[in-house]
């Protein structure tokens, strides 16, 4: 499912116009993104948790030249952990 299909489903389920569903979907994504930028987590009970994690600097291989070792810098990365409700719904 892509973003346009998600907006269509939200419009259907919430009885909204596609324009209003797009605005609501964009607002949710923006709110999650803003929270993660501030190193905060977003917990949605029964669905899951969005958070950031620190990835350490590590060595890697250059795919164009496998003998060459490159340094992959440390980074803050987004992470999602599915909640029990989502796991149960997927496994039914």
């Amino acid at each position: 499912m892509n973003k346009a299909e998600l907006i269509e489903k939200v419009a259907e389920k919430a009885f909204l116009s596609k324009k209003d569903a797009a605005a609501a979907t964009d607002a949710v994504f923006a709110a999650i993104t803003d929270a993660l930028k501030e190193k905060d987590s977003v917990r949605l009970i029964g669905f899951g948790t969005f958070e950031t994690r620190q990835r350490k600097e590590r060595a890697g291989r250059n795919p164009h030249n496998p003998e060459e070792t490159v340094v992959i810098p440390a980074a803050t990365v987004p992470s999602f952990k599915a909640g029990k409700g989502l796991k149960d719904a997927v496994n039914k």
Side-chain angles (χ1 to χ4, degrees):
M1 175 181 291
N2 62 29
K3 187 175 177 182
E5 293 167 339
L6 176 63
I7 289 169
E8 196 170 311
K9 285 285 187 183
V10 169
E12 256 179 50
K13 292 194 180 274
F15 304 104
L16 296 171
S17 68
K18 283 189 184 178
K19 182 179 178 183
D20 290 341
T25 303
D26 288 340
V28 169
F29 291 157
I32 292 171
T33 302
D34 290 345
L36 294 178
K37 282 181 184 177
E38 296 172 8
K39 308 288 189 265
D40 197 7
S41 63
V42 178
R43 288 178 173 78
L44 304 171
I45 304 298
F47 184 74
T49 302
F50 295 92
E51 59 190 3
T52 58
R53 295 195 176 152
Q54 293 296 329
R55 186 182 304 161
K56 295 180 182 178
E57 183 177 277
R58 62 193 194 279
R61 296 281 178 189
N62 180 349
H64 297 291
N65 182 2
E67 289 82 36
E68 182 183 348
T69 302
V70 294
V71 175
I72 302 169
T76 301
V77 294
S79 162
F80 176 76
K81 181 180 177 189
K84 184 177 181 342
L86 179 58
K87 288 178 187 176
D88 290 347
V90 170
N91 288 312
K92 282 190 176 179

